[in-house]
Amino acid sequence: MWRKRKGPSRTVGPMRRLLAFVAFAFVTLAPVTAGPAAAQTGGEAIRGYRVDIAIERDGTLRVVEAIDYDFGATARHGIFRDVPTRLRYDTDHDRVYRLHVDSVTATGDASARYTTDSIAGGRTRIKIGDANRTTTGAHTYTITYRIEGALNAFEDHDELYWNAIGADWDVPVSEPHVTVHAPQRVDITRVACFAGPTGSSLPCAGALTGGGTAQFTQPALGPHEAFTVVVAVPKGAVSPEPTPILDERLTLDNAFTRNAGTIGGALALLVLGVGGVSLLAWRSGRDRRYLGSPVDVALGNETGVDEPAPLFADRAVPVEFEPPDRIRPGQVGTIVDEVANPLDVTATIVDLAVRGYLRIEELSKQGLFGKPDWNLVQTKEPDGKLVPYESMLLDALFAGRSEVKLSDLKNTFASHLRTVQSALYQDVVERGWFRRRPDHVRAMWVGVGVVAVVLAGLATFGLAQLKLGLLGIPLVVSAIVLLAAAHWMPRRTAKGRSVLVRTLGFRRFIDESEKDRAQFAERANLFSEYLPYAVVFGATEKWARAFAGLDGQL
């Protein structure tokens, strides 16, 4: 059972001294931490704590705290005083206590410089001290501040229920004393007090009142123990009647408040944002084309004058019966979709086989659960007829060997593949089809899009704190659209556009090959010659069906 006592028991005293010695030795032998945030432990203690609270006519509290803090031999920069300034009031609101610090003084060589910061738990920290100075021994810190919104109104009285000494001190507090003054010519009608751990209902040692003043005493407080006082004054002692200062708690729902203003603003921002990104993609990602007739567009004009290509230009293209300018399958794939992808490299391997640089041999499946495999045999060394990326591919496949199984390349060819793809991008730029490498253009716009998404997210978070988060959603959507638009940002030159138009005509020839099936019998090796292009166009099955039954062509 808990009992009141005037001072520490004889059993507790030696134990506390032993623990204090251990803590002091630890702090002394360890490096001294910098800054006022150093833990207030070891041989430190508060030798006296006097709080004087005056209730003013308007309900404001004027508080003066005199804290006799003994640092012992431990060098410290100062102390912290944490004051509760925000508490949960109901499901939707927090109660706010407005804190105004008037002054701070300190005795001896202790610094009285201070700053205030909001910290976790709805508290405001008064940080007293100097980061460049330390002090030891006993000093008295006097803090004068005002609190608004602390009084509570009841039907027959107004009341101050105040945590005069908080539970945030890490050190024991000796002789805490609290004095409360009612407004002038007003008597205090009732008093109560509590001391102990947070939430304790145990009364303090003494609570006396006489006229307009109440005195509260307690022999000592342990670390993290609080001292709470309650004072009642008659109705009308303060004017106007006390009302709590409430702040609506930020929730996901009210952070994105929906009303005519936020909805209308969000729609307007969405139109502006998405419209702006679309305009940017239209201006930056649109191909150029030669000015003039369809023939000029496809083959170029004499002056070389070009213009931005309309959005739906060149949709109907004439059939081309062979690749324009005999360009390679890998180049065809890159000019069509602006991407040098693995399919383009695969088609290049098939093309190298068609042109006699290697042979592809199908290997028999081994066992019931065996997997099919192919053997690549190099039949000719790279020569001047190959473009750089083709020579690079041939070297990467064989790497000094005369033959290699396709399955053996599974875990080793990835880095070579990226190198070949890079060379293919460089090839289409050197041919004048693009001013800049499409992969670099996409990467740049992806970077811009990622930055835009991050900034839009931060803006949305900031707006949500103001309960205007709905206005941030169109910013995020626009940033995501910008990120997606990176795919369309590479731009072909007029020369590249003319090659594209004729390439699309050649794709019509491959796609519509079954219509002209009979004509294919007249041309030897047509199937294998154009098979790599069918691979690039994704039309291998159509191409194979066109030659089905034509002996000697497959």
Side-chain angles (χ1 to χ4, degrees):
M1 178 179 292
W2 183 86
R3 296 183 299 172
K4 295 182 182 178
R5 54 186 175 86
K6 295 184 178 179
S9 69
R10 294 181 180 178
T11 304
V12 175
M15 182 61 70
R16 281 187 175 175
R17 286 194 294 272
L18 176 60
L19 292 175
F21 170 78
V22 173
F24 177 76
F26 172 79
V27 173
T28 302
L29 296 176
V32 177
T33 57
Q40 297 165 346
T41 57
E44 304 171 44
I46 296 176
R47 306 302 180 188
Y49 202 133
R50 299 169 301 283
V51 182
D52 189 272
I53 303 174
I55 304 174
E56 300 184 346
R57 280 289 182 182
D58 62 357
T60 300
L61 304 184
R62 185 178 185 277
V63 183
V64 179
E65 297 185 8
I67 305 168
D68 300 330
Y69 201 101
D70 188 353
F71 296 103
T74 306
R76 298 295 189 200
H77 295 274
I79 65 172
F80 296 152
R81 172 64 172 109
D82 296 342
V83 181
T85 50
R86 179 179 289 268
L87 298 174
R88 184 180 180 88
Y89 185 77
D90 56 26
T91 55
D92 298 319
H93 298 85
D94 287 335
R95 182 170 184 175
V96 176
Y97 304 100
R98 293 175 181 157
L99 169 68
H100 307 274
V101 179
D102 292 333
S103 66
V104 174
T105 63
T107 60
D109 62 351
S111 172
R113 296 178 61 179
Y114 71 92
T115 58
T116 58
D117 299 292
S118 296
I119 61 174
R123 298 169 296 166
T124 296
R125 169 164 289 176
I126 306 173
K127 184 186 298 185
I128 306 171
D130 189 334
N132 299 316
R133 290 170 50 190
T134 59
T135 187
T136 59
H139 299 275
T140 298
Y141 292 90
T142 303
I143 310 171
T144 303
Y145 59 91
R146 291 172 291 115
I147 294 287
E148 297 179 29
L151 294 185
N152 303 304
F154 292 91
E155 185 175 346
D156 60 344
H157 71 282
D158 295 330
E159 181 180 285
L160 171 65
Y161 189 106
W162 189 247
N163 193 11
I165 300 177
D168 299 299
W169 295 105
D170 297 331
V171 299
V173 179
S174 301
E175 300 181 3
H177 184 278
V178 181
T179 302
V180 179
H181 306 278
Q184 192 173 10
R185 293 188 295 276
V186 173
D187 290 340
I188 294 174
T189 57
R190 282 175 291 178
V191 296
C193 60
F194 309 96
T198 301
S200 172
S201 60
L202 299 173
C204 68
L208 300 175
T209 183
T213 301
Q215 304 281 343
F216 304 91
T217 58
Q218 178 74 7
L221 296 172
H224 302 292
E225 291 187 346
F227 194 178
T228 302
V229 299
V230 187
V231 171
V233 296
K235 296 295 291 184
V238 297
S239 180
E241 182 174 91
T243 56
I245 302 172
L246 301 181
D247 185 27
E248 187 177 17
R249 190 177 300 110
L250 187 66
T251 64
L252 185 63
D253 183 62
N254 63 33
F256 293 85
T257 300
R258 297 164 298 282
N259 53 42
T262 57
I263 293 174
L267 290 175
L269 286 174
L270 183 63
V271 171
L272 289 174
V274 175
V277 172
S278 300
L279 180 62
L280 178 65
W282 172 255
R283 294 177 64 89
S284 299
R286 228 178 352 151
D287 289 350
R288 307 292 295 183
R289 73 169 186 178
Y290 288 118
L291 188 64
S293 66
V295 174
D296 292 328
V297 171
L299 301 177
N301 54 31
E302 294 181 358
T303 62
V305 177
D306 59 19
E307 65 178 352
L311 183 61
F312 300 106
D314 311 322
R315 299 186 69 181
V317 295
V319 175
E320 294 272 344
F321 295 96
E322 59 182 25
D325 302 327
R326 307 301 296 175
I327 64 175
R328 305 302 187 198
Q331 297 165 340
V332 166
T334 307
I335 192 64
V336 169
D337 59 12
E338 302 169 337
V339 178
N341 53 47
L343 183 63
D344 300 332
V345 177
T346 301
T348 300
I349 294 174
V350 176
D351 187 50
L352 289 173
V354 171
R355 292 154 59 195
Y357 289 92
L358 60 89
R359 184 172 66 252
I360 303 175
E361 299 174 341
E362 185 175 7
L363 301 178
S364 301
K365 187 170 67 171
Q366 300 296 320
L368 180 62
F369 300 103
K371 296 181 179 179
D373 201 356
W374 286 264
N375 194 46
L376 304 182
V377 180
Q378 185 172 1
T379 56
K380 188 165 52 172
E381 292 293 327
D383 54 30
K385 296 180 180 180
L386 297 182
V387 293
Y389 78 87
E390 292 176 325
S391 298
M392 191 178 297
L393 175 59
L394 205 58
D395 290 338
L397 287 174
F398 295 102
R401 300 165 292 190
S402 61
E403 59 183 84
V404 63
K405 289 182 181 179
L406 197 60
S407 58
D408 293 339
L409 298 173
K410 182 177 181 181
N411 298 320
T412 61
F413 190 66
S415 60
H416 297 297
L417 175 63
R418 288 190 291 271
T419 302
V420 173
Q421 288 174 296
S422 179
L424 185 49
Y425 279 123
Q426 190 61 36
D427 179 83
V428 295
V429 172
E430 291 174 354
R431 292 177 180 274
W433 299 345
F434 296 88
R435 291 193 181 279
R436 296 181 58 196
R437 286 178 45 155
D439 58 330
H440 289 176
V441 173
R442 276 190 297 271
M444 182 192 73
W445 283 106
V446 165
V448 172
V450 169
V451 171
V453 169
V454 171
L455 293 178
L458 292 175
T460 302
F461 178 79
L463 289 168
Q465 308 306 305
L466 303 174
K467 300 173 184 174
L468 297 173
L470 197 65
L471 298 179
I473 292 179
L475 302 180
V476 175
V477 171
S478 300
I480 293 174
V481 172
L482 176 60
L483 185 60
H487 176 75
W488 290 281
M489 288 304 187
R491 180 169 67 180
R492 301 175 187 86
T493 63
K495 182 179 180 180
R497 182 77 182 189
S498 71
V499 172
L500 173 67
V501 170
R502 287 180 289 152
T503 299
L504 296 178
F506 179 58
R507 184 167 68 178
R508 280 192 59 190
F509 169 69
I510 297 293
D511 285 337
E512 300 169 5
S513 55
E514 291 180 84
K515 297 179 181 179
D516 301 312
R517 180 173 177 271
Q519 300 178 19
F520 297 154
E522 301 175 1
R523 182 171 174 182
N525 301 319
L526 184 63
F527 175 80
S528 58
E529 184 179 347
Y530 286 175
L531 177 60
Y533 299 95
V535 171
V536 169
F537 293 137
T540 51
E541 292 185 6
K542 290 181 179 180
W543 191 243
R545 283 198 301 268
F547 284 83
L550 297 178
D551 295 340
Q553 293 295 310
L554 300 179

